[in-house]
Every structure is written in structure tokens, then in C-alpha cells.
Amino acid sequence: MYENILRHPGPTPIPKKVQLAMSQDIFSHRSNEFVTLYRETMALVKPIFGTKQDILLLPSGGTAALEAAAVNTISAGEEVVVVTVGAFGDYFVSICERYGFHVHKLVKDWGEACTAEELRPFLQAHPQIKAVFITYNETSTGILNPIADLAKVVHEETEALVIVDGVSCLGGAPAEMDAWGIDIFVTGSQKALMLPPGLALVAVSDKAWQVIEKNQTPSYYLNLINYRSWAEKGMTPNTPAITLIYGLHEVCKLIEAEGGFAQTVARHELMKQMVRSAMKALHIELLTEDAYASPTITAILAPKDIDLAAFLAHLKNRYHLDFAGGLGHLQGKIFRFGHMGYCFPSDILQAVSLLEAALQDFNYTFEAGAGVLAAQQVFLAAQR
């Protein structure tokens, strides 16, 4: 049997060392062994967020952490702004509307980022807002919003909290929570953090804690004050995903072994450039412009005159290369090339080579080897 070559935006491949770490014996989540594991792991994770704040662990998917960020800070009837540039920005809208918040949506076309120049007048028109919800990396379109610039504008124009979805990029993109003024930063385990699904991580600023302490949250399981209280004891309020915490500890060690988080970020940036250069050499259009392109996922338009669904199925069935399709109105129009977490330049060269083979099967006209050569040239230039 061939292994599936998973080049998705999540779940993503898991390193063998992480798999082995997760196979260790289970112990009680109320034991001294767990307290040691928890505290060591949470200290190691802080550089990935760029924060001195404690990290909270939720035994959940990333969406639950997004909901926790909303319900712990905002009450029904209060005004918020949601910046939405794709499907996952729309998630934030749905969560906020479900809890009865008064939502002002700043909507961009899918494939475009939101700029500070666009956000500023929108905020000025809504002076009563309590929070601004922003997706850092929009998985559905491969956009990386300029989160530092957006957070700065929010703080210049309002007293609102900046709440950021970093689910599909934390661990592979620059993150300076404290320096950028992010108040709640959320991510999940199954993407750039190289773990199976089932663990969410939340970092909260001092300013956000002051708001949370005054807010009458209706949530029990997602009550962040409860998580903070238990974190002070080196535990979680409910039974945690102990095996995933084992794995997260090992992930942090792998990042250290790579040379630190800056090197991990540089690898993701390099892979992004390799993929984009390859597609351009093959005359396949990209959904996003270079300036706001994600370092963890690239959205690629269907090659000309090719039935995308048939093409993706052929890639998976014949070459065992598994890309993600488009979401929403982009379904059937784009595919998404994930290059995050346990992924390296050699993996990019492999995927581009197999993509070229499938293009030949579909009689797509291009210069054979052009994509691989372009990606290889980007890689070699980075080694000089």
C-alpha cells in the first residue's frame, strides 16, 4: 500500500517522533507527572505565540476556542466588528450572531486581504464596539491578513479588544502577540503544530482578562476563568487530551532542534515561495497576490480547460497526492496546497513533480519540468 501524501490545510502529517511521544503511558491528569508535563509544555509554547502570557489548553477543536474567545468577552446586544475575508471569517460572524452580538461585518472579496487603510474608517463609523474579530490566516483563500497593522489601527481608533483566529498559521507564521497588541490569540493542534485534531490553545492579554472578569459568560465548559484557575495549578478543569500534550511537548522540541521558531517561520516562507514560483512557471493562476500570500497554504485556480474535481481525484488515486478543494463559492474553482508543519522543501519538490505528471495525463500544455525547476531555483537561492 502506498502512503497518502497529505498536502492539506489540516489535518496535516505528524512527525514520527511526535507519534512516538503520544504513545507513552497515560497517567492521571491530577497527578504530579501531569503537572510537570503541562507546565513544561506551556512554557515551550509561548514563543510560538510571541507572548509572556500563560497559554490555556482546551480539549477541543479550534472552533470551540473561537467561541470561547467570543462568549467570555462580549454580552448579548454589544457591538463588535468582524473582519471577514473568507469562510473562516464567516465562522466568527456565525458565532457572534448566535450569542446575540450586534455584528458589523467588514467583508472583502475572497482572495483579498483587509488593509489598515480600509479598517480605520470602518472602525470610526462604529465607535461603540467592544471587540474586533480577525482571521490571521484565511484557510479558504490562502490570505495572510496584515494582523500587526490591523491591531495597531484598532488600538488607535477604539478601546476594543483584538481577538485573532490563528488556527491555520500559528506554528508557521510570524506571531508577536504582545508586541502587536493582540488580546486573545487562538490556534488548534492539527495544522502547523503537527498534531492530530483535538487540542486548542488560547492566549489572553491582561486587558482581555479585565474584560472577561466583568463579563457574565453563559458558558460552563468554555469558561476561560475556570481554565485560568486550573492552569495556575498546572492542570485543566476537565479531562485533557494527555496524549496530545505529550505530542505538543515533542513538537516544541522539534522546533528548538530546527534552530528555534524563527527558523521554522523561515522554512514556511521558503516553501510558500517555492509553490508560488512553480505555479507561475506552469502558467497556473494563483488566487491571491504575493503581498498577502499565506506561508502555510496556497490557493490555486483550476488549470485551464481541466475538470478540477476529476483532476484532484486522479492525483489522489494514481499519484497518492491529496490536495484540498475549494470551499463555498470557490468549490470546483480552486484547490489548496497545504505546506505547513511537518513539510519541507523536498516535499514541495515531490508534490510539484507529481502535479506535473497529472497535468500531462490531462493533456495540459506546459514545458515539462518547468514547475520543479522554478521551485528548485527558489530553494537553491535560499541556500546561498
Side-chain angles (χ1 to χ4, degrees):
M1 291 290 293
Y2 290 97
E3 285 192 17
N4 189 45
I5 304 168
L6 189 62
R7 294 272 68 90
H8 266 237
T12 62
I14 302 167
K16 295 296 183 185
K17 286 186 176 181
V18 174
Q19 293 181 32
L20 288 171
M22 291 189 297
S23 69
Q24 297 178 76
D25 291 341
I26 290 288
F27 42 62
S28 169
H29 61 293
R30 298 291 182 245
S31 65
N32 291 332
E33 292 89 343
F34 179 81
V35 171
T36 298
L37 174 66
Y38 181 93
R39 287 180 169 159
E40 285 183 0
T41 305
M42 293 304 93
L44 291 171
V45 168
K46 289 183 180 183
I48 296 174
F49 283 76
T51 187
K52 294 180 180 179
Q53 300 292 338
D54 291 334
I55 310 297
L56 306 178
L57 284 182
L58 280 62
S60 69
T63 303
L66 301 180
E67 183 170 340
V71 72
N72 281 268
T73 55
I74 310 299
S75 298
E78 291 184 325
E79 296 183 45
V80 300
V81 164
V82 179
V83 177
T84 176
V85 299
F88 292 90
D90 291 345
Y91 271 33
F92 258 148
V93 172
S94 297
I95 291 168
C96 291
E97 289 180 341
R98 177 62 62 90
Y99 282 99
F101 307 163
H102 184 176
V103 180
H104 303 287
K105 293 183 287 185
L106 196 171
V107 181
K108 296 298 302 286
D109 289 340
W110 287 29
E112 295 182 357
C114 178
T115 66
E117 291 74 20
E118 293 166 318
L119 181 58
R120 189 182 300 275
F122 196 86
L123 296 175
Q124 291 171 343
H126 304 290
Q128 304 302 316
I129 60 169
K130 300 296 183 180
V132 179
F133 295 86
I134 313 171
T135 306
Y136 186 10
N137 190 81
E138 177 51 66
T139 320
S140 65
T141 64
I143 277 289
L144 190 77
N145 272 315
I147 206 69
D149 296 339
L150 298 178
K152 181 181 179 182
V153 168
V154 173
H155 292 308
E156 288 174 348
E157 296 294 339
T158 75
E159 296 298 321
L161 298 177
V162 177
I163 299 175
V164 176
D165 169 3
V167 170
S168 64
C169 65
L170 275 184
E176 296 292 344
M177 175 180 171
D178 296 346
W180 296 347
I182 295 173
D183 292 299
I184 301 183
F185 215 174
V186 171
T187 196
S189 57
Q190 76 278 17
K191 296 182 183 285
L193 291 182
M194 302 182 279
L195 290 164
L199 195 65
L201 297 84
V202 183
V204 183
S205 73
D206 292 336
K207 177 182 176 180
W209 279 123
Q210 293 173 13
V211 173
I212 291 169
E213 288 163 2
K214 297 175 183 177
N215 186 53
Q216 299 298 313
T217 172
S219 180
Y220 173 78
Y221 190 75
L222 299 179
N223 189 309
L224 293 181
I225 291 177
N226 201 23
Y227 279 92
R228 180 179 64 175
S229 297
W230 280 93
E232 291 170 355
K233 296 182 283 188
M235 300 180 187
T236 57
N238 307 292
T239 306
I242 298 172
T243 55
L244 294 182
I245 301 172
Y246 268 138
L248 180 58
H249 189 277
E250 185 63 30
V251 165
C252 293
K253 291 296 186 181
L254 291 176
I255 290 173
E256 285 186 351
E258 188 172 10
F261 186 52
Q263 285 298 115
T264 302
V265 169
R267 169 168 54 87
H268 283 79
E269 180 67 21
L270 173 59
M271 293 189 295
K272 174 191 81 174
Q273 298 294 348
M274 290 174 68
V275 171
R276 296 181 73 81
S277 294
M279 294 307 105
K280 291 173 184 178
L282 295 172
H283 307 292
I284 298 175
E285 293 185 43
L286 301 166
L287 180 65
T288 64
E289 60 180 286
D290 291 346
Y292 299 109
S294 164
T296 59
I297 181 166
T298 299
I300 303 167
L301 272 66
K304 188 177 180 180
D305 298 326
I306 284 181
D307 180 326
L308 185 58
F311 181 70
L312 294 179
H314 180 74
L315 265 174
K316 184 173 181 179
N317 294 332
R318 182 165 184 177
Y319 298 105
H320 313 284
L321 178 59
D322 192 359
F323 289 127
L327 299 176
H329 68 273
L330 292 179
Q331 187 173 4
K333 298 178 181 178
I334 68 166
F335 66 97
R336 295 174 295 149
F337 188 142
H339 37 83
M340 66 178 81
Y342 191 48
C343 183
F344 297 89
S346 56
D347 298 305
I348 303 302
L349 293 173
Q350 177 195 46
V352 173
S353 177
L354 295 174
L355 177 67
E356 286 198 19
L359 288 172
Q360 292 186 62
D361 294 339
F362 275 66
N363 298 314
Y364 179 79
T365 302
F366 69 102
E367 182 181 350
V372 174
L373 177 61
Q376 187 182 78
Q377 287 174 336
V378 172
F379 173 69
L380 292 174
Q383 311 311 306
R384 298 190 182 105

